[in-house]
Amino acid sequence: MTTTFFQPNSNIIKPYALMDLDDTLFQTQRKIDAWELPTAEPEHLVCATVNKQGEPLSFMSQRQAAFFNWLLASTELIAVTARDTSEIKRVKLPFDSWQVLTHGAVILMPNGQPLSDWQQKMSEQLYPLQDKLNQLIQLISEHRAQNDNGHNDLIFTMHTDCFHNKELVIYLAIKHAKKDHQALESLAKQLPILIPDFDTHFYVHVNANNLAILPHAVHKQHAVQFLLAHHLDNQRPSFGFGDSLADLPFLQLLDWYGMPSRGQLHSQLQTWHA
């Protein structure tokens, strides 16, 4: 066996950087204030996303903007996000590689087109669940009408997309109009009781003012695993960042991973080490 030692090489191989977006690379002004982010004074803020009316919604601090600029120059940056194909258009940042969207239900190729073999795979798994997904909104709405403990302020969104010319429901998102996190947590605990065989078909992810009811087939981890196995160069290193517990499974597929020093994953880590 010949022992070799490291030698600097000017031929740089760019690593893959697989990055969650919201609350990892940017966040709303409300969270900037709550987290007391450094270098987030008004004169340093950079607009990262807009709302449906085209008004600035989320921002990067000076440090975050510098970090993102470094990622663009030094890595092949792959967005891995819960945002769907319409929501990602409101992110005003230049992505030119793969994009994992809608909690992993959709993979866009670098040319912006859906990845056909992943579309086929997801279509086969989502199609049999369409009736159950459509029943979810009715069951939860009925429950909301019968309760006064904050459930009347729930806002529902059905996320759909087109899979080989078929419009399919992917998952249900719920927000609270008054940002009552406890009301969402309470609902999450009641779902397996309210809905027969809920755990067989679905799982729940709650992070801040977002509750998502997702089929087991839909997960960032599944999409990233598919990309790594079939479309990315396994000789190139990979790393990533994410802020939520739902990000951890996809991050653990990479060579290195981390988190911002605030958010759900950071808070959970502090709890584990308390």
Side-chain angles (χ1 to χ4, degrees):
M1 177 180 174
T2 302
T3 301
T4 58
F5 296 93
F6 177 77
Q7 294 291 330
N9 190 333
S10 60
N11 296 319
I12 302 297
I13 299 174
K14 284 188 175 184
Y16 296 111
L18 288 85
M19 307 293 294
D20 174 58
L21 302 182
D22 292 82
D23 298 338
T24 297
L25 292 177
F26 50 77
Q27 57 286 306
T28 62
Q29 184 67 58
R30 182 176 63 86
K31 290 182 178 178
I32 288 173
D33 296 337
W35 291 333
E36 298 181 341
L37 288 186
T39 69
E41 297 79 12
E43 65 270 20
H44 290 151
L45 290 180
V46 175
C47 181
T49 79
V50 297
N51 62 19
K52 292 179 181 179
Q53 291 72 45
E55 303 160 336
L57 179 64
S58 298
F59 305 90
M60 292 189 289
S61 69
Q62 185 178 38
R63 286 187 191 173
Q64 287 174 322
F67 178 51
F68 184 75
N69 195 56
W70 173 78
L71 288 170
L72 285 178
S74 306
T75 72
E76 182 170 343
L77 182 59
I78 298 173
V80 183
T81 177
R83 286 177 176 262
D84 63 25
T85 49
S86 62
E87 293 168 335
I88 195 67
K89 293 175 183 176
R90 298 199 290 272
V91 177
K92 301 304 180 182
L93 299 175
F95 298 113
D96 59 5
S97 182
W98 300 87
Q99 296 181 55
V100 175
L101 308 178
T102 326
H103 287 280
V106 175
I107 299 175
L108 297 185
M109 298 182 292
N111 65 6
Q113 296 302 307
L115 180 61
S116 182
D117 48 354
W118 184 248
Q119 274 216 317
Q120 182 62 38
K121 187 179 181 70
M122 291 307 304
S123 177
E124 291 169 357
Q125 306 222 36
L126 288 172
Y127 186 75
L129 292 173
Q130 292 304 288
D131 287 344
K132 289 186 179 296
L133 281 162
N134 284 305
Q135 288 168 7
L136 276 176
I137 187 80
Q138 182 178 348
L139 287 168
I140 297 172
S141 295
E142 290 172 357
H143 175 70
R144 179 178 64 170
Q146 297 167 5
N147 291 270
D148 295 324
N149 56 350
H151 291 163
N152 289 329
D153 293 310
L154 299 178
I155 303 167
F156 299 86
T157 305
M158 293 293 279
H159 288 262
T160 66
D161 213 311
C162 191
F163 295 84
H164 292 305
N165 299 318
K166 288 186 294 187
E167 188 77 14
L168 298 178
V169 178
I170 300 171
Y171 77 99
L172 172 64
I174 304 174
K175 291 179 179 286
H176 196 280
K178 298 177 182 176
K179 296 181 170 54
D180 186 342
H181 180 65
Q182 289 305 314
L184 292 181
E185 288 279 7
S186 173
L187 177 60
K189 292 176 182 177
Q190 294 177 58
L191 286 171
I193 303 168
L194 289 171
I195 301 168
D197 300 324
F198 181 85
D199 290 336
T200 302
H201 303 288
F202 305 105
Y203 70 99
V204 177
H205 170 57
V206 183
N207 187 10
N209 193 40
N210 296 285
L211 184 154
I213 304 173
L214 301 116
H216 290 299
V218 177
H219 203 294
K220 291 178 180 180
Q221 177 191 22
H222 303 328
V224 169
Q225 197 162 30
F226 189 84
L227 263 187
L228 290 169
H230 300 288
H231 295 280
L232 302 187
D233 182 355
N234 65 9
Q235 297 301 307
R236 291 170 62 179
S238 63
F239 72 93
F241 286 85
D243 73 288
S244 79
L245 291 170
D247 292 323
L248 190 57
F250 98 75
L251 292 172
Q252 290 175 322
L253 298 171
L254 310 177
D255 296 312
W256 299 272
Y257 65 89
M259 70 194 84
S261 59
R262 66 265 163 196
Q264 186 184 47
L265 195 51
H266 178 70
S267 297
Q268 186 64 56
L269 187 64
Q270 289 182 311
T271 302
W272 291 335
H273 288 278

